[in-house]
Amino acid sequence: MLCDVFREANEQRKAEYERGDMGKPTYERWVRCGTYLEEFMQLTRNVSDIPVKVETKGFVQDFEH
C-alpha cells in the first residue's frame, strides 16, 4: 500500500536525521509530505490507502499540484 511504503521510507529518513545525515527541516518535510498524501487520498478518493500498482502518473501529478 502506498502510505505504508511512505511510512517505511520515513522511518529510514528518521534514522538518517538521528544519525545527523539529514537536517531537521528536511526530515519534517518528508513527514509532512506523508501526512499530505494521506489527506489527498481521503479528499480525492475517499480512501485511507491504495495499492501502489494502482497509481498512475496522473495521480502523482495531481498530488504534486
Side-chain angles (χ1 to χ4, degrees):
M1 302 297 278
L2 184 60
C3 288
D4 290 337
V5 170
F6 210 93
R7 280 189 219 69
E8 289 174 20
N10 277 348
E11 286 300 315
Q12 293 174 348
R13 302 297 83 79
K14 183 178 181 181
E16 292 171 8
Y17 166 64
E18 290 172 346
R19 279 194 315 262
D21 295 337
M22 176 184 293
K24 185 175 181 179
T26 302
Y27 170 67
E28 289 174 343
R29 280 192 296 271
W30 276 98
V31 172
R32 204 166 39 250
C33 186
T35 301
Y36 292 159
L37 178 62
E38 292 175 17
E39 291 174 1
F40 176 74
M41 285 191 295
Q42 194 66 43
L43 287 170
T44 60
R45 298 185 177 204
N46 202 30
V47 296
S48 59
D49 208 351
I50 49 178
V52 175
K53 291 182 180 183
V54 170
E55 288 325 305
T56 63
K57 181 179 178 182
F59 172 82
V60 174
Q61 289 172 335
D62 288 347
F63 175 62
E64 181 182 39
H65 177 69

